[in-house]
Amino acid sequence: MARTDFLLSQRRSQVRGPDASEDPLLRAQNVHRLLGSKDLVTHILKGVDIRIERNEYVSIVGASGSGKSTLLYLLGGLDRPSQLDSDGNPFAPLSRVFIDGEDTTQLSDTDLARLRNHKVGFVFQFHYLLKEFTAQENVCLPMFKLGRWSRGEAMERGAMLLNRLGLGDKIRRRANRLSGGEQQRVAIARALANEPAVVLADEPTGNLDKRNSEVVADILQELASTGQTIVIVTHDLALASKARRQIQMEDGNVVGDSSASDRGVLA
């Protein structure tokens, strides 16, 4: 199987009917996030409204503390938006996040975790691999949890993912014996394991040197070119510019939302 064929296969299980396509894949409605209590409350997100459609490649940029990573975690169901302001009054309209049409505010923690594992793949600045597990075993962990594949099928799929990301000779190597760039590619393979509707990446090149950053950028670009929905948070302007849409954040608000053509970039 050619690499492009493999990447295209990531989307085949996600073909949806016309009614489903009316909903965005991710939607934030008046999303607020407050941390702390009483006089020490920090208002991190201040009523963010965004839609991420299927097949989009989006970068979220902004200075440190602008709220971009917090927004990414909320969009992926790793955190929940705040429902009350610092005086205890409810936000109007309600502060809500939708994942593939599901209102996450209506889900229990267990159901949210199940939805997250099924629909969302995560890539972080630090790979968070289990060091004593092999690359293949690390990739298979989300599949074991989801239970869609048998153990043998999951291991075979894990090996295929690693092979297609250029790690065919490192499948059985323990994570602590891989380079930083190799570990991040394993993390990308793990994010793709359950054929997610969307991949969310938080500073995916932030811990890599220039060469490995370019490798990761090329992988994300190729995935996006085959229809994989991707949302990245990054300080790397070269990586951000490859996205077809760029959202700019400042002080907990969205202050810009432009396409590649708006920015004069060929993406």
Side-chain angles (χ1 to χ4, degrees):
M1 178 190 288
R3 182 175 176 184
T4 300
D5 293 338
F6 156 72
L7 292 167
L8 283 168
S9 75
Q10 297 300 304
R11 308 304 299 154
R12 287 174 184 155
S13 67
Q14 297 171 32
V15 175
R16 301 169 62 86
D19 292 337
S21 66
E22 294 177 2
D23 291 325
L25 184 52
L26 301 174
R27 180 161 73 92
Q29 172 191 288
N30 193 34
V31 164
H32 291 260
R33 189 67 177 101
L34 286 74
L35 291 178
S37 59
K38 298 183 179 179
D39 295 334
L40 299 177
V41 171
T42 301
H43 203 157
I44 299 174
L45 293 178
K46 302 173 181 178
V48 172
D49 290 283
I50 63 169
R51 296 166 59 101
I52 306 295
E53 306 294 343
R54 289 169 178 79
N55 307 328
E56 281 201 292
Y57 183 16
V58 181
S59 62
I60 303 177
V61 300
S64 295
S66 61
K68 57 189 185 299
S69 290
T70 299
L71 176 60
L72 193 78
Y73 298 154
L74 289 169
L75 289 173
L78 286 175
D79 191 12
R80 293 180 184 267
S82 300
Q83 299 301 328
L84 305 176
D85 66 20
S86 57
D87 295 322
N89 301 312
F91 292 111
L94 294 176
S95 187
R96 302 162 106 180
V97 171
F98 297 82
I99 299 176
D100 204 13
E102 287 272 358
D103 183 351
T104 61
T105 62
Q106 303 299 315
L107 300 178
S108 67
D109 288 346
T110 299
D111 287 340
L112 179 57
R114 186 178 297 113
L115 176 67
R116 188 171 61 234
N117 194 41
H118 181 59
K119 296 288 185 178
V120 185
F122 292 95
V123 181
F124 301 99
Q125 178 176 352
F126 301 100
H127 45 76
Y128 297 116
L129 302 180
L130 296 180
K131 294 181 180 180
E132 297 304 315
F133 281 42
T134 66
Q136 184 181 29
E137 289 167 338
N138 271 283
V139 173
C140 289
L141 290 175
M143 290 186 275
F144 295 157
K145 184 175 182 180
L146 185 64
R148 182 190 299 167
W149 294 277
S150 69
R151 183 176 181 85
E153 290 169 338
M155 292 292 280
E156 182 177 353
R157 176 167 169 76
M160 179 189 69
L161 284 160
L162 290 166
N163 187 56
R164 299 309 173 186
L165 293 182
L167 294 172
D169 59 339
K170 308 291 174 63
I171 289 172
R172 293 181 177 82
R173 183 165 295 184
R174 295 190 186 279
N176 59 4
R177 295 183 56 220
L178 297 172
S179 70
E182 290 167 344
Q183 289 174 339
Q184 194 65 314
R185 277 186 280 163
V186 173
I188 293 172
R190 180 183 59 191
L192 295 170
N194 286 337
E195 296 182 323
V198 60
V199 170
L200 303 181
D202 187 17
E203 299 287 0
T205 62
N207 204 36
L208 302 177
D209 60 25
K210 186 175 186 293
R211 184 180 65 82
N212 281 304
S213 293
E214 290 172 350
V215 170
V216 168
D218 287 345
I219 289 171
L220 294 174
Q221 183 81 357
E222 191 166 0
L223 286 168
S225 74
T226 64
Q228 174 69 61
T229 307
I230 298 175
V231 183
I232 60 170
V233 160
T234 183
H235 283 99
D236 184 341
L237 296 182
L239 175 60
S241 68
K242 293 180 181 295
R244 294 188 290 270
R245 176 184 172 196
Q246 187 174 110
I247 295 171
Q248 185 175 357
M249 296 195 66
E250 182 179 309
D251 193 27
N253 296 289
V254 171
V255 296
D257 190 341
S258 61
S259 67
S261 59
D262 292 335
R263 304 191 309 272
V265 177
L266 295 177

